[in-house]
Amino acid sequence: MNTMTSAPTPDRFETVACYLCGARESTPLTEAEDDLTGKPGRFQFVTCKGCGLAFQNPRLKAEHIGSYYDDEYIAHRKKSDWGPLTPLYNWAMGKHDRDKLKLVERYLPLGSATRLLDIGCGAGTFLALARARRGAAVTGVDFKDLGGLPWMRDIEFRHGRLADQDFGSRRFDLVTMWHFLEHDYEPLATLARVRGLLAEEGRMVVEVPRLDSLSFRLYRERWPGLQAPQHTALYSRDRLLAMVDKAGFELLDYLPYGAFPPYFYLFTGLAFKLLKGRGLNLSRAIYPYFLGQALLAPLLLLQRHLNLAMHTVVCRVPR
Ligand SMILES: [Zn+2]
């Protein structure tokens, strides 16, 4: 499962200024390893002295990050055989997409006239659901080319970076970013681009891991939200709001949760602590995963009030 045998050399890294305020001065926050796949390397997160944004610094140069998105990370999204647990797994993945749909429809009911753009769409299952259930016109952008998956047939899939996509004069009623912004090498530029792509009365929904959360306090250097080296910035409530504000958005709502199951962070954080950077074998972890979920069910009913792991902003362009 681990195709890299040595840590990335220093020449593969670059130092970066704060994504929010541009300051170069920072203080160390935490070190991190690639706890999910166990690839070698130690990565540094810092806190900006200018504004308090937490981000990875130095970061891997863009041309060296791609290989970290291969292997397990994508393979598990495409894997369909989980043995006896296959129905449960499929239900869990389907629920995640249904929860996304439920969340966005609190702000914008989707229909056949809705133009939806999902940035960082990955395997595209959310778009496929919005298309199948609501008939929405759906477009996805991702730098991994997963356009060949069977359910992507009715999705306009754009392979590459958002910055390189030409949409002409097209506008979208809803732009979603589910766990994309924390991977972005230029989050402010992305948000500015989205601002220009939104139709009048359009909505933007952004979900990211929450730095000032219970799971970060529990796991610190093993917090799954660090996801080194892929995560470039880590957003507290305050910094997430500052980021969308600086990009010129008006905040409509802030949610101390998202569509992503916080239990995933509680479980994997504990596993990462025990494994100490050796990598998590998801195929083997799936039994304890669902067992733990059943045991914690009463607690998880309250997850929206516990500030466990995620948060979401809903924005529009000011009139
Ligand atoms: Zn800053």
Side-chain angles (χ1 to χ4, degrees):
M1 82 194 235
N2 179 359
T3 54
M4 273 178 234
T5 50
S6 56
T9 46
D11 60 299
R12 298 198 156 204
F13 288 90
E14 62 190 359
T15 56
V16 57
C18 173
Y19 296 99
L20 181 56
C21 77
R24 293 247 164 214
E25 297 269 284
S26 61
T27 54
L29 173 64
T30 186
E31 286 201 353
E33 293 181 286
D34 182 357
D35 284 304
L36 190 58
T37 70
K39 291 186 184 79
R42 291 192 70 77
F43 307 94
Q44 323 290 327
F45 286 92
V46 301
T47 305
C48 173
K49 274 191 178 176
C51 76
L53 180 75
F55 59 103
Q56 197 179 157
N57 201 15
R59 69 180 182 189
L60 275 175
K61 292 175 188 167
E63 64 264 35
H64 298 303
I65 195 71
S67 54
Y68 285 89
Y69 286 89
D70 296 332
D71 308 342
E72 298 275 298
Y73 191 74
I74 294 298
H76 279 84
R77 294 292 286 125
K78 290 199 277 186
K79 178 171 166 158
S80 54
D81 180 15
W82 292 89
L85 291 183
T86 302
L88 191 54
Y89 176 82
N90 288 340
W91 174 84
M93 294 309 290
K95 183 178 189 304
H96 185 198
D97 289 324
R98 291 192 298 278
D99 285 347
K100 290 179 182 174
L101 193 59
K102 238 184 266 176
L103 193 156
V104 299
E105 288 204 306
R106 284 159 53 185
Y107 305 94
L108 185 88
L110 304 190
S112 59
T114 310
R115 298 155 296 175
L116 163 59
L117 172 65
D118 189 27
I119 300 166
C121 68
T125 52
F126 166 63
L127 291 174
L129 183 75
R131 173 86 191 151
R133 289 263 177 99
R134 303 287 184 261
V138 293
T139 305
V141 180
D142 205 288
F143 84 105
K144 295 299 286 188
D145 188 3
L146 296 165
L149 292 167
W151 55 86
M152 292 286 245
R153 215 174 303 126
D154 293 329
I155 296 170
E156 180 197 11
F157 177 70
R158 300 285 194 103
H159 177 215
R161 296 167 348 121
L162 177 69
D164 299 330
Q165 306 305 319
D166 182 5
F167 290 106
S169 57
R170 285 171 64 187
R171 296 292 177 268
F172 296 89
D173 306 296
L174 174 63
V175 176
T176 52
M177 286 187 250
W178 307 105
H179 290 251
F180 171 80
L181 202 67
E182 75 273 25
H183 295 252
D184 201 335
Y185 272 52
E186 38 188 17
L188 262 184
T190 296
L191 291 169
R193 181 84 205 281
V194 170
R195 209 166 73 108
L197 287 170
L198 275 185
E200 227 176 288
E201 289 307 310
R203 300 284 183 264
M204 175 182 76
V205 176
V206 179
E207 178 186 335
V208 292
R210 181 169 177 179
L211 183 61
D212 50 338
S213 64
L214 179 67
S215 57
F216 177 69
R217 286 200 298 277
L218 273 175
Y219 299 132
R220 290 291 300 193
E221 77 282 359
R222 299 291 176 191
W223 185 50
L226 299 177
Q227 204 178 320
Q230 294 100 324
H231 284 185
T232 52
L234 311 168
Y235 297 94
S236 63
R237 177 185 191 274
D238 168 68
R239 290 302 84 194
L240 180 60
L241 297 185
M243 187 69 95
V244 293
D245 182 67
K246 185 155 187 182
F249 283 97
E250 178 186 342
L251 184 75
L252 289 175
D253 206 357
Y254 171 86
L255 309 173
Y257 56 87
F260 192 94
Y263 170 70
F264 184 84
Y265 270 26
L266 295 180
F267 177 88
T268 51
L270 183 61
F272 292 169
K273 275 216 166 232
L274 299 171
L275 291 164
K276 295 184 168 55
R278 290 195 297 267
L280 177 64
N281 183 331
L282 287 172
S283 300
R284 223 177 295 160
I286 194 166
Y287 282 94
Y289 182 84
F290 283 116
L291 179 67
Q293 191 171 37
L295 291 172
L296 285 178
L299 176 74
L300 292 173
L301 285 175
L302 299 170
Q303 58 186 258
R304 288 187 172 190
H305 310 285
L306 295 175
N307 182 22
L308 293 176
M310 312 298 163
H311 53 171
T312 307
V313 285
V314 182
C315 304
R316 73 171 171 203
V317 179
R319 273 169 288 192

